[in-house]
Amino acid sequence: LNTLGGSLSIQNNSSLSTLAGIGAINSINGPLYIMNNPLLINLSGLDSVSSINGVLNISNNNSLHDLTALSSVLSINGPLYIANNTSLESLAGLDSIDYSTISELYIYNSNALSACSVQSICDFLTLTSNSYTINSNSIGCNSETEIELVCSGCPSNGITFETQGEIDSFPFNFPGCNQIIGSVIINDTIPDNILNVDSLFQITSILGNLTIQNNSSLVSLSGLSNLNSISGVLTITDNDALPSLFGLDNIYYTTISNLVIEGSSLLAICDLSNICTYLSNPSSPASIIGNASGCATRGEVEAYCADQDSDGVIDSLDNCVTIYNPAQEDSDNDGVGNVCDYGTQENVGIGTETPFTKLQVSQGVVFTDNNNGSLLMRSPDNSCWILKVNDSGVLSATKVPCPE
């Protein structure tokens, strides 16, 4: 029997472990259902099938881990379902299916499935009009976006950088790849080899942990300044030459699930605004020990995260710590905010050398000894008024000519 005139249904067989007895079939003129076979390990026996005319549904086969027997299938002419196969890790075997013969795509609830970027699936997803449901699988196959990233050439299971050369070659090996599926590890295996991460500038998102550890000569993280999210633990440990966390400023704090900053003897600046916001929640887990003063403990970092003037800019970054200035204006670019830059203002101080306003009296009062005129003020309409006080302490205003 080479051609099956209708559908083939292999379902609800609690003891079935092999399909070896049907190896001669090369065409199925109807749907193929392989469902609810808990002991079926692979699909050997369907190796000769080249065409299916209807649904291809492979679902609820808890022991199934291999689809490579379907490598000869070129068309299915209907929906493709891959669902609830808890041991399945890869869609290898579906590569040769002409994507135009797939009418709908359903890949879900297979929690070990991480390799979905076979050619047929990649091609199917290029058409935005195609209908698909992809969710609840493992990282790499958990969404249409994850699959497309791998299809475009991004690493499919995280990436580890062990040398400066590997970092420097990243934009050439993965051009245009800005989102890493899985965790990123930067771990120098050749002493004093990794000096910077500048060539990782294109990475904006990591769908996993970020670990930077054991890099004895790494002095800057500025190459990660475009990174805005991770999906796990941020670990910075045993980086002996690293003085600050600048470069990690733009990671949104809600994407950090845990924070580990340990054993970096020169690391003194950890009070980035996102780190501060993360630590402001006492329930946010963090381990901060064994670094330089300023980043030696969680409490020390939190102290440096203070914002005395409540302007939303932490003191260590604020160009005027004691005066509210959320815009941080600095007209002469000297690092001192305008509101604190007394050398550029025509302020007069009595009892203080650093007046905050045009006239400031410190620890004293301003006294006028008669009621002929106390305070002359100009109103918004450019009129001038003398303020006087009566015997009951009530102020009155009298309009007068403005000084010329």
Side-chain angles (χ1 to χ4, degrees), residues 27 40 71 89-90 111 134 191 198 203 232 279 290 333 391 399:
S27 178
L40 186 62
S71 296
E89 298 179 355
S90 170
N111 54 17
I134 303 171
D198 294 352
I203 300 176
L279 293 175
N333 296 311
D391 292 339
K399 190 172 184 180

Side-chain angles (χ1 to χ4, degrees), residues 159-170:
I159 189 168
T160 298
F161 299 99
E162 296 183 334
T163 67
Q164 187 68 52
E166 291 176 349
I167 291 173
D168 293 343
S169 63
F170 179 80

